[in-house]
Amino acid sequence: MRIRDRGIINYLSVLVAAAFLPAVVLAVAVFVVVLEREIDVAWSRIEARTTFITGSVDSQMDALAGTLDALSSNQSLIDGDFESFHHQAQAVTGDRVDAVSLIRPDGVTILNSRVPIGTTPPAFSVPESAVAKALSDGTSIVSDLFLGATSRRPIFAMIKPVRVAGQPMALAVGLFAQRFAPLVARTLPPWEAAILDGGAQDVARFPTESSLDQPSRRQLAELIAKQGRGHAKLRTTDGGELFVAYERSAKSGWGAVSSLPRTAVVAPIQRLILGYAIGAAILVVPGIVLAALLGLRLVRSLRELARFTGMMAEENPERLAPVARLACREITVVADGLDQAAADIAARDLQLRGQRDLAESRADEIHRQSKELAASNAELQQFAYVASHDLREPLRMISSYIAILERRYGDSFDADAKDFIGFVVDGAQRMDRMVQDLLDYSRIGRVGANHAPVPLRDTVDSALAALRLVVEESGAAISVAPDLPIVNGARGELVRLFQNLIGNALKYRHADRAPVIGITWRPLDHGWQFSVSDNGIGIAPEYFERVFAIFQRLHTREKYEGTGIGLAICKKIVEHHGGRIWVESVPDQGSTFHFTLQEGAAGG
Ligand code: ADP
C-alpha cells in the first residue's frame, strides 16, 4: 500500500486557500470600490478647487469692472477734462488698479495714470486689437495678457468704450498679472493650479513650471476652448499622469486649471492595499504552514497505519509493535482498532495453528493406523488364502485315504463303522466346501480387481443363466426392471452378487407358493440403489445384521443346504464397489435385499 505524500498536504492547502478565498475576493472588491471612490473624491476635490479659483478670478474681474464703471461715469472724463480725470485716475492707481489709460479709436494712448500729465504716454499701452474689439462690440472686454508699456511686466486690461467730449474712445484699467498669484499660491505640492487668459497663456501658476508635456498642454487649451468646463487625465513630462480639472469663466473668458498627479491620488490607497495584503499574508501563510505540518503528521500516521496493516498481512501479528498514535483522535481510534484486530488475529492464528497441529497429528495417526490396518488386512487375506489353500491338501488326503479304506476294507466294516466312515466323508466334504468358500471370500477385491464399465443387465442375465435349473424346477417368476445402468466395477464379482441374492431368493422360498422375484433399481445422487425382492420365508428383524456375517446361518444344514458365506461375500463385493447392503423383511412374507453402487466407483 502506498500513500501519496502530497495528496493530503495539497488538500489541506486547498482547504486553507478555500477558507481564505472569499475573504481575498471580498478584500479585492472592497479595494476596487474604495479606489474608484477615492478617485471620484479626488476628481471632485480638484474640480472644487478649480471652481474656487474661477470664482476668485471672477470676483477680481467684478471688482475691476466696478472700478472701470466708476471711472467711465466720471464727469470730468465725459467733459474731456483730462487733467482732472488724470488726477482721479491716479487716485485709484496702485491701489485697486495698476494703470488707467484712455485710448483713441486709432489705438493711440492719450492718457496714462502712471505717466505724469503733459508727458506723452507710450503709444500702444493696450493691444490695439483688444481696443478695436471693445469699440466694435460696444461693451467691456478683458484683454489677453500683454507686457506693460511702462512697467515691462505682464499685465492685462479691461477695456470699455466711452464718449469723451462726444468722441468715442476706450477707457482701460490694467492690472499686473501678479495680482492673481495669491489665488493659486495657496496651493501645496503636489497640487498644481493655474489661471489662463483667453489665449491660454499663464496668468498665474503654481508651481511656476507646468508638469504637463507639450502635447497635453495643447490638448488642455483645446479642451478649455471647446468644453469650457470638465476634467481629463493628461500626460506629464516625466511620463506620469495628471488628473486635471479646468473651467472657463463665462464673464472674462479666462480659465482656471488645477490638478493632482495620479500617484498622489492612488498612492495612499495602494499603501492601504499593500498593508492589507501583508496583513492577509501574515494571516494566511501560518495557516498554510500549519496545514502542511498537520498534513505531514497525517501522512506519517497513515503511512504508519499502512505499514502496520501490510505487516499484519505478511507477518505474525503477535510480533507487531503497537501502531504509533501520531495525528488526530480518529486515527487513534483506527490504530486502536488495528491493534485490537492484530491481537484478535494473533489469538485466532494461535488457535488455528493449534487446531492445525492437532488435525495434522490426528491425520498422521489415522494414516499410521490405516497403514497398519492395510498391512494387517493384507496379512489377514494372505493368511486366509494360504490357510484355505493349504488346508485343502490334508483334507484331500483324508478323503482319499478314507475312500481307499472303504474300498479295501469296506466289506469287513460293520454297519456302525460304515456310518462313521460316512460321517468322516461328509465332514471332510463340508470342510472342503467351507475352505473353498473361504478361499472365494478372501479372493474378492484381490483377484481381477481391474474395474471396467459393466452393463448390469448382462450380469443379471449371466446370474440367471447359472441358476436356470433351479428357476425352472421351482417355477419362479422373475422380473427385471428395464434399463439397468452400466456401472464401473469388476464384472465377475457383480455376477456373483446377483447370483447369490437371486439364488437365496429361490432357496429360501415359501413352501406354499411359487417364488416371485423382482429386480429393481433407482438412481441416487452419485450412484444407484438396487433391490432384489422375494416372497419367501422372510427373516426375523433380530437377524438383519447377522445374516451378513461369515458362516452365519439361520437354518440347519438338513433343512437348507449352504455354508453361510453367500451374504458375507455379497457384503464384501458391495463394499469393494463403494456401496452398502442391508435387508428389509417380514417373516413368512418375504425379504428385500437392497444394495447401492457408486457412480465411477474406484474400488481396488
Ligand atoms: P446360506 O444360504 O449358505 O445359509 P447365506 O449367507 O447366503 O448362507 O445366508 C445366510 C442366512 O440368511 C441363510 O442361512 C438364511 O437363513 C438367510 N437368508 C438368506 N437369504 C434369504 C432369503 N432370501 N430369505 C430368507 N432367508 C434368507
Side-chain angles (χ1 to χ4, degrees):
M1 208 185 300
R2 247 190 105 242
I3 304 280
R4 282 199 302 128
D5 298 23
R6 289 172 191 284
I8 286 173
I9 296 176
N10 285 354
Y11 289 145
L12 289 178
S13 309
V14 169
L15 207 68
V16 172
F20 284 101
L21 196 67
V24 171
V25 169
L26 195 71
V28 169
V30 167
F31 289 141
V32 168
V33 169
V34 166
L35 187 66
E36 290 293 312
R37 216 179 61 89
E38 279 305 299
I39 287 173
D40 283 350
V41 168
W43 276 127
S44 45
R45 279 168 67 206
I46 298 167
E47 282 172 347
R49 182 168 285 228
T50 309
T51 305
F52 172 75
I53 296 170
T54 314
S56 305
V57 168
D58 276 351
S59 57
Q60 287 267 24
M61 291 296 185
D62 285 346
L64 202 59
T67 308
L68 188 61
D69 284 346
L71 284 171
S72 66
S73 56
N74 188 287
Q75 198 53 51
S76 42
L77 176 73
I78 295 164
D79 295 345
D81 182 355
F82 292 139
E83 207 175 315
S84 166
F85 180 69
H86 188 268
H87 198 68
Q88 288 179 35
Q90 264 189 325
V92 296
T93 304
D95 177 18
R96 271 177 283 167
V97 296
D98 293 318
V100 179
S101 50
L102 195 61
I103 306 146
R104 281 203 319 243
D106 60 1
V108 174
T109 305
I110 55 170
L111 182 144
N112 187 320
S113 63
R114 290 194 155 264
V115 178
I117 191 88
T119 313
T120 312
F124 301 104
S125 54
V126 173
E128 209 181 329
S129 57
V131 173
K133 191 170 189 306
L135 287 177
S136 68
D137 287 1
T139 180
S140 299
I141 63 139
V142 179
S143 79
D144 288 344
L145 220 55
F146 60 93
L147 214 56
T150 49
S151 63
R152 309 310 299 168
R153 284 158 64 193
I155 199 168
F156 78 94
M158 189 181 275
I159 306 159
K160 186 179 179 181
V162 288
R163 284 203 165 265
V164 179
Q167 294 298 312
M169 293 220 184
L171 181 65
V173 285
L175 216 59
F176 288 120
Q178 214 188 335
R179 285 214 180 216
F180 286 90
L183 298 187
V184 292
R186 275 190 213 127
T187 318
L188 280 178
W191 281 93
E192 287 186 26
I195 297 167
L196 307 174
D197 68 10
Q201 283 188 79
D202 287 355
V203 177
R205 163 170 297 286
F206 179 86
T208 40
E209 264 310 304
S210 167
S211 62
L212 284 179
D213 62 11
Q214 210 52 48
S216 295
R217 270 188 237 179
R218 267 200 303 278
Q219 194 186 340
L220 180 61
E222 275 170 28
L223 281 170
I224 296 172
K226 275 191 200 151
Q227 312 281 337
R229 177 194 172 109
H231 65 246
K233 291 175 185 170
L234 298 172
R235 292 262 133 228
T236 59
T237 46
D238 57 9
E241 203 175 32
L242 207 61
F243 285 22
V244 184
Y246 52 88
E247 191 174 333
R248 194 181 57 200
S249 164
K251 283 184 194 163
S252 59
W254 282 20
V257 169
S258 59
S259 63
L260 258 183
R262 185 194 154 80
T263 48
V265 176
V266 173
I269 301 154
Q270 280 176 337
R271 274 199 298 277
L272 195 72
I273 290 172
L274 193 69
Y276 275 117
I278 290 170
I282 290 170
L283 285 178
V284 172
V285 168
I288 289 173
V289 169
L290 204 68
L293 289 176
L294 282 175
L296 278 174
R297 216 170 144 77
L298 212 59
V299 166
R300 283 226 310 277
S301 300
L302 291 175
R303 261 205 208 136
E304 169 70 7
L305 289 180
R307 179 194 66 79
F308 188 82
T309 46
M311 280 168 68
M312 246 168 88
E314 287 163 12
E315 284 187 22
N316 281 344
E318 73 262 25
R319 273 198 263 134
L320 286 178
V323 191
R325 272 81 170 144
L326 286 168
C328 44
R329 198 163 53 84
E330 285 80 355
I331 289 198
T332 310
V333 171
V334 174
D336 285 346
L338 279 176
D339 278 345
Q340 186 58 46
D344 288 353
I345 290 173
R348 222 168 300 153
D349 202 46
L350 205 68
Q351 197 183 351
L352 279 175
R353 257 183 280 159
Q355 285 175 354
R356 192 189 59 204
D357 291 349
L358 197 69
E360 274 175 5
S361 75
R362 276 195 194 147
D364 285 352
E365 177 71 9
I366 289 168
H367 185 64
R368 193 182 57 75
Q369 282 180 354
S370 69
K371 261 171 80 178
E372 277 177 17
L373 214 62
S376 82
N377 241 1
E379 206 176 317
L380 214 62
Q381 274 188 1
Q382 184 66 13
F383 169 75
Y385 178 77
V386 169
S388 46
H389 188 268
D390 292 358
L391 275 174
R392 294 187 74 193
E393 180 55 31
L395 258 180
R396 255 199 306 276
M397 209 167 82
I398 292 171
S399 301
S400 356
Y401 279 99
I402 287 288
I404 292 169
L405 206 63
E406 201 179 15
R407 204 167 52 238
R408 283 204 196 161
Y409 309 103
D411 296 342
S412 52
F413 287 168
D414 63 3
D416 277 355
K418 278 185 180 167
D419 279 354
F420 296 156
I421 291 279
F423 290 148
V424 173
V425 170
D426 188 44
Q429 277 174 353
R430 261 197 310 124
M431 189 152 178
D432 188 52
R433 274 285 307 279
M434 286 174 84
V435 170
Q436 182 64 45
D437 284 350
L438 206 60
L439 202 59
D440 287 351
Y441 182 84
S442 71
R443 275 189 179 134
I444 291 165
R446 189 166 176 271
V447 184
N450 284 345
H451 283 201
V454 179
L456 283 188
R457 179 74 222 198
D458 286 4
T459 58
V460 172
D461 287 348
S462 299
L464 288 174
L467 296 164
R468 192 170 52 86
L469 278 179
V470 199
V471 173
E472 280 170 7
E473 175 246 323
S474 62
I478 300 176
S479 66
V480 181
D483 301 330
L484 279 173
I486 295 173
V487 304
N488 204 37
R491 188 177 187 282
E493 291 181 4
L494 292 171
V495 171
R496 180 101 187 241
L497 173 63
F498 278 107
Q499 194 176 326
N500 282 5
L501 292 176
I502 300 167
N504 277 354
L506 291 167
K507 192 195 317 183
Y508 298 105
R509 61 178 175 267
H510 204 279
D512 304 340
R513 54 191 180 244
V516 177
I517 299 169
I519 298 163
T520 55
W521 68 281
R522 70 181 179 93
L524 299 177
D525 273 353
H526 299 290
W528 307 267
Q529 181 180 317
F530 302 91
S531 307
V532 179
S533 62
D534 63 51
N535 58 345
I537 59 169
I539 304 166
E542 60 265 35
Y543 302 122
F544 283 180
E545 291 288 329
R546 221 175 100 179
V547 291
F548 295 102
I550 198 162
F551 296 139
Q552 290 297 322
R553 309 204 68 230
L554 304 183
H555 307 280
T556 58
R557 210 158 21 91
E558 285 70 33
K559 203 167 179 196
Y560 294 100
E561 180 61 29
T563 56
I565 204 160
L567 287 179
I569 285 177
C570 288
K571 187 168 188 258
K572 202 171 175 194
I573 290 170
V574 168
E575 283 172 358
H576 176 219
H577 284 79
R580 65 186 192 92
I581 188 167
W582 70 103
V583 65
E584 284 173 354
S585 178
V586 179
D588 228 27
Q589 284 189 19
S591 316
T592 303
F593 284 84
H594 305 283
F595 64 92
T596 61
L597 292 180
Q598 271 191 3
E599 202 171 3

